[in-house]
Amino acid sequence: MTFANVGTLGAAPGKRDALVAHLTQRSTELADAGCLLYEVGVSDDRPDTVFVAELWTSAEAHQASLQLPAVQESIAAARPLLSGEFGGFRFTVVGSPLRD
């Protein structure tokens, strides 16, 4: 079953755009690990927040991706850009009107 992870990342003051630039760098490793979608967004209503929506082939694929060296390096590089405020939710996708 497809796994969804939708979350918010608090950016350190003045670092939102740098965090967005970091999160949107091309990553073939994510696709190879089973990531089907990784979308990054912002909202004028929350200027120090970055929104991320992910779809994965499975929860296990998502969890395994967190152990990849490239992902570990990306997380380490993002830490100075983060405020420490995180939110979100995870769920198993059960269907869509866009596909069978």
Side-chain angles (χ1 to χ4, degrees):
M1 287 252 183
T2 305
F3 172 75
N5 186 38
V6 181
T8 58
L9 304 172
K15 300 291 185 184
R16 184 187 78 176
D17 292 344
L19 182 57
V20 167
H22 178 73
L23 293 172
T24 57
Q25 291 177 7
R26 169 97 34 212
S27 173
T28 57
E29 292 88 359
L30 288 181
D32 292 344
C35 187
L36 304 170
L37 173 128
Y38 193 101
E39 299 293 329
V40 177
V42 298
S43 171
D44 290 340
D45 295 336
R46 295 180 64 186
D48 291 326
T49 302
V50 175
F51 301 85
V52 178
E54 304 171 55
L55 286 180
W56 291 83
T57 55
S58 68
E60 295 79 17
H62 174 260
Q63 193 62 39
S65 75
L66 298 174
Q67 304 309 312
L68 295 172
V71 173
Q72 288 288 316
E73 291 170 16
S74 180
I75 291 169
R79 278 197 182 102
L81 305 173
L82 298 167
S83 69
E85 295 181 37
F86 304 98
F89 51 92
R90 298 170 174 196
F91 60 93
T92 300
V93 177
V94 295
S96 168
L98 301 177
R99 64 187 190 303
D100 294 329

